[in-house]
Amino acid sequence: MESCNSFLSEEELKETGFREYGQNVLISRKASFFSPKTIKIGSNVRIDDFCMLSGNIEVGSFVHISAYSALYGRELIKLCDYSGVSPRVTIFSAVDDFGGDYLIGPMAPAGTTRVISGPVTLERFVQIGASSVVLQNLTIKEGTVVGAMSLVNKTLESWGVYAGIPAKFIKERKKDLLKYVG
């Protein structure tokens, strides 16, 4: 019995229509991409099963996007080098206004909704824990980690450990981890 490779071949990667991609890119055959011409992927990247990337997205190098994660990039979503998202993470660069003054959803009549948007950046060495949600118009600064099932709704400072709903600072993270990457 022939072994089955669950990642796209080099030829299949070319056919996806990505704006750009680097070397050693492993993308599951079960991942979905909408508007791939707006997606840029660096080198040494792995995107697992059932991930969905849509819109304006830049993925740096040495990045892992775990299974069932979704990135909705109406505005730019940028995952810098050595960052990553654990399973079932969702990142939104735009959300409907749930304040009660507008209808919600893409099928509502024009002029009856309000969308709040802004770029999302995960700087170098950021990791987002499983089942977390990251909202629009914020930066998670270098070296920060976010615990599982957290809600990130504001910019997080560098080299911290954050968790909760909304995510709150727990403690500092060691910077000596940088010695492993030079």
Side-chain angles (χ1 to χ4, degrees):
M1 181 175 201
E2 233 177 275
S3 68
C4 179
N5 185 347
S6 62
F7 295 111
L8 297 176
S9 68
E10 182 65 30
E11 187 60 38
E12 290 168 317
L13 276 172
K14 287 178 187 173
E15 291 173 7
T16 62
F18 289 128
R19 182 175 87 198
E20 182 180 323
Y21 67 92
Q23 299 175 359
N24 192 32
V25 172
L26 300 173
I27 295 179
S28 169
R29 295 179 190 284
K30 297 175 183 174
S32 297
F33 300 91
F34 299 92
S35 59
K37 66 184 178 298
T38 63
I39 298 173
K40 177 181 174 184
I41 299 174
S43 295
N44 302 302
V45 171
R46 190 174 107 190
I47 300 174
D48 290 344
D49 291 350
F50 310 112
C51 289
M52 202 237 351
L53 280 70
S54 176
N56 191 8
I57 298 170
E58 292 183 8
V59 178
S61 295
F62 300 97
V63 173
H64 179 213
I65 301 174
S66 296
Y68 293 97
S69 292
L71 282 66
Y72 298 100
R74 179 175 182 170
E75 302 287 334
L76 177 63
I77 295 175
K78 186 174 184 177
L79 280 61
C80 296
D81 296 351
Y82 297 98
S83 64
V85 295
S86 298
R88 298 190 186 278
V89 166
T90 305
I91 300 175
F92 296 96
S93 68
V95 296
D96 283 296
D97 184 335
F98 277 75
D101 297 326
Y102 301 94
L103 294 178
I104 297 167
M107 303 312 290
T112 64
T113 64
R114 178 173 177 242
V115 175
I116 304 162
S117 63
V120 175
T121 300
L122 277 58
E123 292 184 349
R124 294 178 340 130
F125 308 107
V126 166
Q127 182 69 38
I128 308 298
S131 297
S132 292
V133 174
V134 178
L135 296 179
Q136 78 289 342
N137 203 30
L138 59 81
T139 298
I140 302 175
K141 295 187 178 176
E142 182 176 274
T144 288
V145 294
V146 174
M149 299 179 70
S150 293
L151 171 67
V152 181
N153 62 358
K154 64 181 182 182
T155 291
L156 303 181
E157 295 305 316
S158 62
W159 294 99
V161 176
Y162 289 79
I165 301 175
K168 293 183 179 10
F169 178 78
I170 305 296
K171 67 178 193 172
E172 289 185 13
R173 185 175 182 212
K174 292 181 179 182
K175 292 181 188 174
D176 66 349
L177 300 168
L178 293 173
K179 66 185 176 193
Y180 298 112
V181 294

